[in-house]
Amino acid sequence: MLLKENPFYIISASMRDNNAEIMDKAEEAALLQDEQLCRDAKTILLNPNKRIEAEVSWLPGLGPKRVKEVLNALTYSPGEVFQYEFLMDKSYSCSRANILINALATLKDLDVKVLETWIETISVCFSNIDTEMLLDTINDSREAAGISDIANVNTLEDVLRENKHFFVKIIKNAMNDLGTEEMVSMFTAIVDADTCSGRKQGTEIIEELVESYELESQSFFNRANLIIEELVKTIKTDAMQNVSEYVLQQKVNKLINTVQQWDKIAQPIQVCDLSKGLEHEESKHIASVVRDVAITLYNDYGKLQAAQAITSMMKQVFAEVITVAEKNEEDVKALSDIAQSKAKEKAEEEREMNYSAEFGLLFKSTVHMTREYLEFDGRKIYYSQVENILWGGVRKSVNGIPTGTTYTIKMNYQGGRNYLITFTGHEDVYSNIIERLWKGAAVRLMLQMIERFKTGEKYNFGNAVVVDDGILLTSSSWFSNDTRFYSWRDVSISNGPGYFCIQDKKNSSMSVKLDYLEIMDVHLLENILRVGFDKGISKISNALGE
């Protein structure tokens, strides 16, 4: 109760007044104010059991002059009571707490930092109340008043517990005058200071404030949890559909921002629970949902950067939830190790893909290759641009005397434009170029071809039509143009000088010879079929696994 609602205030009585003095003061007070109010106040103060609440809510230990000084200050300058030095002694903790909470109830438009200090001080004052010392102070006054002592300290503790609820109500009213963001920020700072960032259990008043805050925040958590869960579903779907890195990262950034905003509300609860050796269940749930998407992004789709961004955020957001923090620390380390390993692999790949050469006697040619592009005689093509590719060599001779091999590399890009390289001799240069082209462009094109076969596309290679589960061959006989479809198990493959051959196992006239230097992507088809035939597959799309 407020001091001005206290029976001692209503009839201007002292805690040391005896029964006769209480009755006299009640009669005098009834002449100036509500008679029933004064009668009720008298009844409470004359009853040893009923008056305990009034005593605990009053100013135990203070004499009449100090009481008058305090009441006058609370009426005309409530802010001044904060600095009263005579109240700093621990024996006055109950009185000081009552004075400060009454002052706070009347103060308006306090600066946030000032309000924060008041709340912290009130909670500490209340926690400093020594029930044994308070019992002695009240019983000393009762002895002077001729009223029976309070026999059991438990009775006093029950009243203080009820008083704590009143304190929390007044503090909440003061906090509600702030905007939501301002209030949450201030309350987080209060809980953090009260618990030493969760390292020690906080004061009773702050703990009860947190309990009330958590209850009132539940509707926010219910809404925010649904938003986070929907974002996680969207990110998983986008990753599965292989959307662009930019689009995926935008969704991941939105998730990170949403969880960070969620954490601003959860932070006081997390810290308070940590101080009590508990874990915020709502935080554990959201952490599990968010961790799951990070694991899925990397394990299922290889999205290391996105997974690292999420786990990095979780390290900050869930630091106060021990089991989550421990798991996340393991995740961060695992992803960090993977990132370092990939960085080493990338550096090694760059080293392996880098190649430069200058060759030729009269007219010099230059070649420069990196992990991203090929540059030959000043003409550059990026591997990502390449749409089709062929390569090969033709040995030449004059009068039976070898004159060298002419090498040809041809690539289509940007919808049909050609990039052509030809040179004679220098097999080492040719081998180095093909080795890097295979890694830089051919592997990607081969995987794309497999995917297209899987979706039902067909490819024309010479006069043969290739589909996922077989090939349409035309007879190579002069006197027949028979065309038949063969499953892959009915044909064999082989090489000839400058060509790749696919033919009926039983009838060699049903065949196609694909010239390496005339038909695009023959090397890709050959590689897919050789891998698939080794596995005994029935469909090209299964060449890399069912």
Side-chain angles (χ1 to χ4, degrees):
M1 69 177 75
L2 291 171
L3 289 174
K4 290 188 177 182
E5 297 170 349
N6 195 294
F8 286 110
Y9 178 85
I10 291 170
I11 65 171
S12 300
S14 161
M15 288 178 65
R16 303 176 77 86
D17 287 341
N18 58 34
N19 289 350
E21 290 170 322
I22 289 172
M23 287 189 286
D24 288 343
K25 289 183 178 180
E27 287 180 12
E28 290 176 14
L31 298 174
L32 302 174
Q33 53 186 316
D34 184 80
E35 184 178 348
Q36 185 60 48
L37 183 67
C38 296
R39 188 180 296 114
D40 291 342
K42 177 188 70 174
T43 301
I44 290 170
L45 296 181
L46 291 175
N47 186 310
N49 292 326
K50 288 185 177 180
R51 72 180 267 151
I52 297 176
E53 182 183 357
E55 290 167 323
V56 171
S57 303
W58 190 237
L59 304 169
L62 297 188
K65 286 186 178 180
R66 287 298 192 191
V67 170
K68 185 177 181 180
E69 178 185 350
V70 167
L71 294 176
N72 188 63
L74 287 173
T75 301
Y76 299 106
S77 52
E80 291 183 7
V81 300
F82 191 86
Q83 303 297 336
Y84 278 1
E85 292 186 7
F86 69 86
L87 292 172
M88 299 302 178
D89 190 280
K90 188 174 181 181
S91 61
Y92 295 126
S93 292
C94 182
S95 292
R96 189 177 188 222
N98 289 338
I99 291 166
L100 292 180
I101 201 67
N102 275 267
L104 182 61
T106 60
L107 291 169
K108 301 295 179 185
D109 302 322
L110 286 176
D111 176 80
V112 175
K113 279 294 179 184
V114 173
L115 177 58
E116 182 181 322
T117 302
W118 274 78
I119 295 171
E120 289 172 350
T121 304
I122 289 170
S123 66
V124 170
C125 273
F126 191 89
S127 68
N128 283 340
I129 296 173
D130 186 316
T131 52
E132 293 288 351
M133 190 179 293
L134 179 59
L135 182 65
D136 290 342
T137 300
I138 293 175
N139 280 340
D140 181 63
S141 296
R142 284 190 170 212
E143 185 177 346
I147 298 173
S148 60
D149 289 352
I150 301 172
N152 193 335
V153 74
N154 292 337
T155 305
L156 206 59
E157 289 173 348
D158 291 341
V159 175
L160 282 170
R161 197 173 296 112
E162 288 302 314
N163 235 24
K164 178 181 65 176
H165 301 328
F166 171 73
F167 275 53
V168 168
K169 179 182 176 182
I170 298 297
I171 292 171
K172 282 177 62 180
N173 288 341
M175 290 171 61
N176 287 338
D177 290 338
L178 302 175
T180 301
E181 188 172 337
E182 202 172 32
M183 184 275 288
V184 170
S185 177
M186 181 197 71
F187 191 48
T188 300
I190 288 172
V191 175
D192 203 50
D194 190 64
T195 63
C196 290
S197 301
R199 291 190 295 274
K200 72 177 185 67
Q201 190 162 350
T203 57
E204 292 179 65
I205 283 180
I206 299 304
E207 284 189 359
E208 185 161 324
L209 279 169
V210 172
E211 289 174 10
S212 176
Y213 173 89
E214 182 174 9
L215 186 64
E216 293 178 11
S217 301
Q218 195 56 52
S219 60
F220 163 82
F221 287 128
N222 291 341
R223 293 192 305 272
N225 291 357
L226 289 175
I227 292 171
I228 290 170
E229 288 163 2
E230 283 302 314
L231 272 172
V232 164
K233 288 180 184 177
T234 301
I235 289 170
K236 287 181 178 179
T237 301
D238 285 354
M240 181 177 65
Q241 294 175 348
N242 198 28
V243 300
S244 70
E245 291 293 330
Y246 174 80
V247 170
L248 184 65
Q249 194 59 51
Q250 289 295 103
K251 298 284 180 65
V252 169
N253 290 343
K254 185 176 180 180
L255 174 65
I256 289 171
N257 182 64
T258 303
V259 175
Q260 287 172 335
Q261 294 304 313
W262 182 96
D263 179 61
K264 286 182 180 180
I265 305 299
Q267 189 72 13
I269 308 168
Q270 292 173 347
V271 174
C272 186
D273 281 353
L274 177 64
S275 75
K276 296 185 287 186
L278 304 174
E279 292 186 332
H280 184 215
E281 290 301 321
E282 210 78 48
S283 293
K284 287 171 69 176
H285 168 68
I286 288 300
S288 175
V289 170
V290 176
R291 180 175 183 259
D292 180 64
V293 74
I295 292 172
T296 299
L297 283 173
Y298 180 71
N299 285 353
D300 295 355
Y301 307 107
K303 306 295 184 181
L304 177 61
Q305 185 177 352
Q308 282 187 301
I310 293 171
T311 53
S312 177
M313 172 272 294
M314 289 182 67
K315 185 175 182 179
Q316 302 297 322
V317 167
F318 299 109
E320 297 79 16
V321 187
I322 299 301
T323 55
V324 173
E326 289 174 348
K327 282 184 182 177
N328 193 64
E329 192 64 36
E330 295 172 4
D331 293 343
V332 168
K333 185 179 185 307
L335 290 175
S336 177
D337 291 345
I338 291 167
Q340 290 178 16
S341 176
K342 284 187 173 293
K344 289 180 181 178
E345 290 176 6
K346 182 179 178 181
E348 180 63 21
E349 181 186 351
E350 287 180 347
R351 188 188 67 77
E352 291 177 352
M353 291 292 284
N354 288 343
Y355 176 69
S356 295
E358 183 179 79
F359 58 98
L361 295 176
L362 186 58
F363 299 103
K364 296 286 185 182
S365 287
T366 58
V367 59
H368 177 65
M369 300 183 78
T370 70
R371 66 189 300 270
E372 295 178 344
Y373 65 84
L374 158 67
E375 185 175 3
F376 192 89
D377 286 346
R379 294 178 299 120
K380 183 183 291 186
I381 183 170
Y382 286 87
Y383 305 135
S384 60
Q385 295 176 303
V386 178
E387 297 169 355
N388 306 97
I389 190 168
L390 64 74
W391 64 82
V394 177
R395 291 188 180 89
K396 295 188 176 181
S397 62
V398 176
N399 296 325
I401 300 173
T403 58
T405 300
T406 297
Y407 297 105
T408 299
I409 302 168
K410 183 179 178 182
M411 290 170 276
N412 290 342
Y413 68 103
Q414 293 182 347
R417 297 176 65 182
N418 293 330
Y419 186 100
L420 181 65
I421 298 173
T422 59
F423 57 89
T424 300
H426 305 285
E427 183 180 359
D428 60 325
V429 174
Y430 172 76
S431 296
N432 274 293
I433 293 175
I434 296 304
E435 178 185 350
R436 288 161 178 80
L437 272 180
W438 180 261
K439 294 177 182 177
V443 170
R444 172 180 59 82
L445 294 174
M446 185 177 68
L447 294 174
Q448 288 177 354
M449 182 180 288
I450 291 172
E451 283 301 312
R452 286 171 180 166
F453 278 127
K454 187 183 293 186
T455 60
E457 287 192 38
K458 62 182 180 180
Y459 280 77
N460 292 312
F461 286 91
N463 63 354
V465 179
V466 178
V467 293
D468 193 18
D469 56 356
I471 184 169
L472 192 67
L473 294 176
T474 300
S475 173
S476 57
S477 170
W478 285 5
F479 304 105
S480 173
N481 61 355
D482 185 22
T483 299
R484 290 181 57 191
F485 180 81
Y486 293 88
S487 71
W488 293 118
R489 288 171 178 162
D490 295 328
V491 297
S492 62
I493 55 177
S494 60
N495 295 94
Y499 64 82
F500 173 58
C501 180
I502 305 173
Q503 65 182 33
D504 180 350
K505 288 180 178 179
K506 299 177 180 179
N507 182 2
S508 61
S509 67
M510 297 295 290
S511 64
V512 63
K513 294 180 179 179
L514 306 177
D515 194 310
Y516 291 122
L517 288 176
E518 296 293 333
I519 302 172
M520 284 288 183
D521 301 331
V522 173
H523 284 291
L524 309 184
L525 178 65
E526 179 181 359
N527 190 75
I528 293 170
L529 291 179
R530 289 196 181 282
V531 171
F533 277 31
D534 285 344
K535 294 180 177 180
I537 53 98
S538 60
K539 292 184 177 182
I540 288 179
S541 57
N542 294 333
L544 300 184
E546 293 289 341

